[in-house]
Amino acid sequence: MNYTLHQLQVFLKVSETKSITKAAEELYLTQPAVSIQLKNFQEQFDIPLTEVVGRQLYVTEFGQEIARAAENILNEVHAINYKTMAFKGQLSGKLKITSVSTGKYVIPYLLADFMKLHSEVELMLDVTNKNRVVKSLERNEVDFALVSVLPDMNIQNIPLMENQLVLVANRNFDKPKRPLTLDEIQQLPLIYREPGSGSRHVMERFLEQQNIKITKKMELTSNEAVKQAIIAGLGCSIMPVIGIKNELQNGDLQIIPAEGLPQFSQWNLIWLKSKNLSPAAEAFKNYLLENKSTIIQTHFGWATQL
């Protein structure tokens, strides 16, 4: 057999994504390039690694075994590179973080200066919904997770800052001179995030605590979709302030005062108590403990002045 590390990398990504198209996107390759590498890799085995049923690609049982072996080989290669860097006195390794979707407005600022200081650290960042974040932690697939609602798990955490949620409407909404009453909120068409979202959790907790029954509602799967729906006049929503800075500044959205609002949750960086942090992960944790106040004040001080 004469397979290359590149072929192992391509096959592993195909096995993870179950798609040549998605593998090509994540590897920054063309689809034909991935297909050729997959074909060349397959030719070295008498047993099929993948099969196509309908239009869906599946990894065979044998292919899954080879994928696990490929992952182990690539991990060993990465370990050699990291040890070389460590011997030269440079911090290196992989830093794996997952974040709930609204956290995309927070996590880049927590990472930016750290990554500049340690250019040999390889960052793997996944921004997704809360349910997938929790699963990634449970499976020990990541070092840290950024969440606004703490999961019921055996974790450690670094509290970061308040996550302020407010009632948001578009520029055409007649802003009242006094806060909306609970009865008035009940009459609004409200736009929800999808089940499992931290923002939806806080919103539903508020509505339940105030015994507000919403009859006109819409459900969307991202903060960006919710913002565009509000701007278009489809309704209002209870949203995190940090995700609407630009829209507030240009006047597309406005905060509507209302009884019981704003609501608050807390941004936290969390990790499993049982997790043995890598040198890169330990360095990031210590960096954040030392610098979080400065980062938050510099980049999010505006949110406390609304």
Side-chain angles (χ1 to χ4, degrees), residues 20-34:
I20 290 175
T21 300
K22 291 179 181 178
E25 290 175 355
E26 295 190 18
L27 292 170
Y28 301 100
L29 297 171
T30 64
Q31 292 183 40
V34 170

Side-chain angles (χ1 to χ4, degrees), residues 178-192:
R178 50 158 181 80
L180 293 182
T181 66
L182 298 179
D183 286 339
E184 288 171 326
I185 296 173
Q186 189 166 281
Q187 302 306 314
L188 296 175
L190 279 189
I191 303 172
Y192 287 62

Side-chain angles (χ1 to χ4, degrees), residues 75-203:
N75 284 340
E76 288 300 320
V77 171
H78 287 311
I80 291 172
N81 294 335
Y82 301 151
K83 287 174 183 177
T84 302
M85 293 296 179
F87 190 79
K88 292 162 64 176
Q90 295 176 319
L91 182 66
S92 61
K94 286 186 179 180
L95 178 60
K96 295 179 283 188
I97 301 177
T98 185
S99 169
V100 296
S101 56
T102 309
K104 67 186 176 185
Y105 303 108
V106 179
I107 193 68
Y109 298 102
L110 303 180
L111 286 163
D113 285 344
F114 176 81
M115 296 303 297
K116 290 175 185 175
L117 288 170
H118 305 290
S119 60
E120 299 302 328
V121 172
E122 181 181 350
L123 174 65
M124 299 178 68
L125 175 61
D126 181 33
V127 178
T128 184
N129 62 41
K130 180 188 170 189
N131 289 341
R132 283 187 58 185
V133 166
V134 172
K135 285 181 181 178
S136 294
L137 274 178
E138 289 175 339
R139 295 170 182 167
N140 197 31
E141 296 173 345
V142 295
D143 299 311
F144 302 108
L146 180 67
V147 296
S148 59
V149 179
L150 291 175
D152 185 17
M153 299 171 64
N154 195 17
I155 57 172
Q156 296 188 66
N157 69 297
I158 299 176
L160 296 172
M161 64 180 186
E162 281 186 331
N163 183 32
Q164 182 183 176
L165 291 93
V166 294
L167 182 63
V168 179
N170 73 1
R171 65 171 73 228
N172 297 321
F173 191 95
D174 290 330
K175 192 169 186 176
K177 295 180 180 180
R178 50 158 181 80
L180 293 182
T181 66
L182 298 179
D183 286 339
E184 288 171 326
I185 296 173
Q186 189 166 281
Q187 302 306 314
L188 296 175
L190 279 189
I191 303 172
Y192 287 62
R193 283 287 308 277
E194 79 283 6
S197 158
S199 297
R200 176 163 176 157
H201 172 80
V202 175
M203 180 173 170

